[in-house]
């Protein structure tokens, strides 16, 4: 399990607080230099685990049903979250800090840019918000860092934290079910699922999906994301998207060569 880190414990603790502190600023752009694929500092031998707490809370709620305490309060999400969290921490072994990120209870900038963002999703169950508040308190009582910023989602936060931590020299493990996180993968950042210990680095992304990490955003733009109600290119699925990117390299080059692309018969 990770070591609890207080805000005044040490210089390293202060550095970690600056990495994990709530901020609506975007992560700095990744700059690559020879011998240093992330840019910034050299690898410092320390590891940070960043967990998508919001996704884990939802998954726990629906995985365990009809569980209440003696006062009749629903506890299924709390129990499932805590059980999964302790398992994840055990599997991760020794590391320097754990950050758990959550969605804030408000609309995000994405809703302003695209009004149909996440349209069609069922509303949050009535008994879940209270359990999420309990979960957030438990995260703090365990001595872990909790991150939540109005206007941003949990994945915005773990993306920013992972990018900043990697640039500062940390190895970073992101624990999430969100495949958009693959765009963050590098020699210093890997992604694993909430349930599975299978880890995705640059080689694993290419092996499974046929595209590189640098092409992941274009791949998702072509295929879309039904879970967020984001449409992709009509008639293009994962296989076709991978083949197009393998041939043309990027979405910009695909668009520049539309006349040369043969439609599927």
């Amino acid at each position: 399990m990770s070591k609890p880190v207080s805000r005044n414990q040490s210089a390293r603790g202060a550095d970690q607080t600056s990495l994990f502190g709530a901020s609506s600023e975007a992560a700095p752009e990744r700059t690559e230099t020879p011998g240093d694929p992330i840019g910034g500092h050299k690898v410092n031998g320390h590891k940070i685990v960043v967990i998508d707490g919001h996704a884990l809370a939802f998954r726990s709620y629906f995985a365990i049903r009809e569980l209440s305490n003696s006062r009749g309060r629903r506890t299924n999400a709390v129990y499932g979250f805590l059980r999964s969290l302790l398992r994840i921490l055990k599997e991760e072994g020794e590391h320097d800090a754990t950050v758990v990120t959550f969605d804030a209870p408000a609309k995000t900038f994405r809703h302003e840019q695209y009004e149909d963002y996440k349209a069609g999703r069922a509303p949050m169950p009535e008994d879940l918000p209270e359990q999420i508040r309990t979960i957030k308190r438990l995260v703090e009582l365990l001595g872990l860092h909790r991150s939540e910023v109005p206007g941003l989602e949990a994945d915005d936060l773990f993306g920013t934290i992972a990018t900043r931590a990697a640039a500062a020299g940390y190895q970073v493990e992101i624990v999430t079910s969100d495949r958009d996180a693959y765009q963050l993968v590098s020699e210093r950042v890997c992604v694993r699922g909430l349930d599975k210990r299978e880890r995705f680095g640059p080689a694993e992304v290419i092996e499974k999906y046929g595209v590189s990490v640098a092409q992941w955003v274009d791949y998702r733009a072509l295929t879309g994301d039904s879970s967020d109600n984001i449409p992709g290119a009509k008639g293009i699925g994962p296989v076709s998207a991978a083949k197009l990117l393998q041939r043309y390299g990027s979405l910009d080059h695909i668009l520049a060569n539309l006349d040369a692309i043969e439609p599927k018969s």
Side-chain angles (χ1 to χ4, degrees):
M1 184 181 296
S2 64
K3 306 171 186 175
V5 180
S6 67
R7 294 184 182 271
N8 58 2
Q9 188 174 31
S10 63
R12 180 165 299 281
D15 291 342
Q16 291 174 346
T17 298
S18 67
L19 286 173
F20 312 149
S23 171
S24 59
E25 296 178 0
E29 292 185 5
R30 299 198 307 182
T31 56
E32 298 186 5
T33 56
D36 184 9
I38 299 297
H41 301 281
K42 293 181 179 180
V43 175
N44 60 23
H46 295 274
K47 175 184 173 182
I48 291 172
V49 176
V50 190
I51 300 173
D52 186 346
H54 206 78
L56 184 57
F58 264 79
R59 175 164 295 193
S60 300
Y61 178 88
F62 289 104
I64 303 173
R65 306 305 296 268
E66 306 302 328
L67 185 64
S68 304
N69 63 16
S70 59
R71 291 173 291 180
R73 291 184 177 179
R74 297 294 295 272
T75 58
N76 53 317
V78 176
Y79 173 77
F81 182 96
L82 187 57
R83 185 177 66 176
S84 295
L85 176 61
L86 294 177
R87 172 183 53 78
I88 290 168
L89 295 177
K90 182 178 180 180
E91 290 172 351
E92 290 300 328
E94 191 70 21
H95 54 279
D96 294 271
T98 302
V99 191
V100 187
T101 64
F102 291 91
D103 290 3
K107 287 189 175 183
T108 72
F109 67 92
R110 292 183 180 85
H111 292 93
E112 298 175 1
Q113 295 177 349
Y114 179 49
E115 64 180 10
D116 289 330
Y117 179 61
K118 293 187 176 180
R121 281 195 180 185
M124 180 181 291
E126 293 182 358
D127 57 342
L128 183 53
E130 181 180 357
Q131 293 193 67
I132 290 179
R133 288 191 290 271
T134 301
I135 285 169
K136 292 174 181 178
R137 180 59 179 153
L138 285 173
V139 166
E140 294 176 345
L141 290 173
L142 285 169
L144 310 179
H145 294 270
R146 177 172 71 85
S147 184
E148 177 182 332
V149 178
L152 299 179
E153 298 181 355
D155 53 356
D156 298 314
L157 297 173
F158 70 61
T160 299
I161 292 166
T163 302
R164 289 177 174 173
Y170 290 88
Q171 291 291 140
V172 183
E173 182 118 331
I174 300 173
V175 185
T176 181
S177 57
D178 189 345
R179 291 189 300 164
D180 287 339
Y182 293 157
Q183 66 186 284
L184 303 167
V185 166
S186 69
E187 297 304 317
R188 296 186 190 176
V189 179
C190 67
V191 175
R192 58 158 286 183
L194 296 172
D195 295 326
K196 299 179 180 179
R197 296 183 63 183
E198 181 183 17
R199 287 167 171 78
F200 278 80
E204 288 75 19
V205 173
I206 293 176
E207 180 180 358
K208 183 164 185 175
Y209 296 99
V211 296
S212 69
V213 171
Q215 295 172 316
W216 187 256
V217 172
D218 288 350
Y219 175 80
R220 294 290 273 173
L222 287 167
T223 60
D225 186 350
S226 59
S227 66
D228 287 337
N229 196 41
I230 297 175
K234 187 176 181 180
I236 296 181
V239 174
S240 298
K243 288 181 177 179
L244 287 169
L245 289 169
Q246 289 165 9
R247 179 174 180 180
Y248 294 100
S250 71
L251 181 56
D252 287 339
H253 287 154
I254 292 172
L255 294 174
N257 291 276
L258 288 178
D259 292 340
I261 298 175
E262 297 181 2
K264 294 178 65 176
S265 57

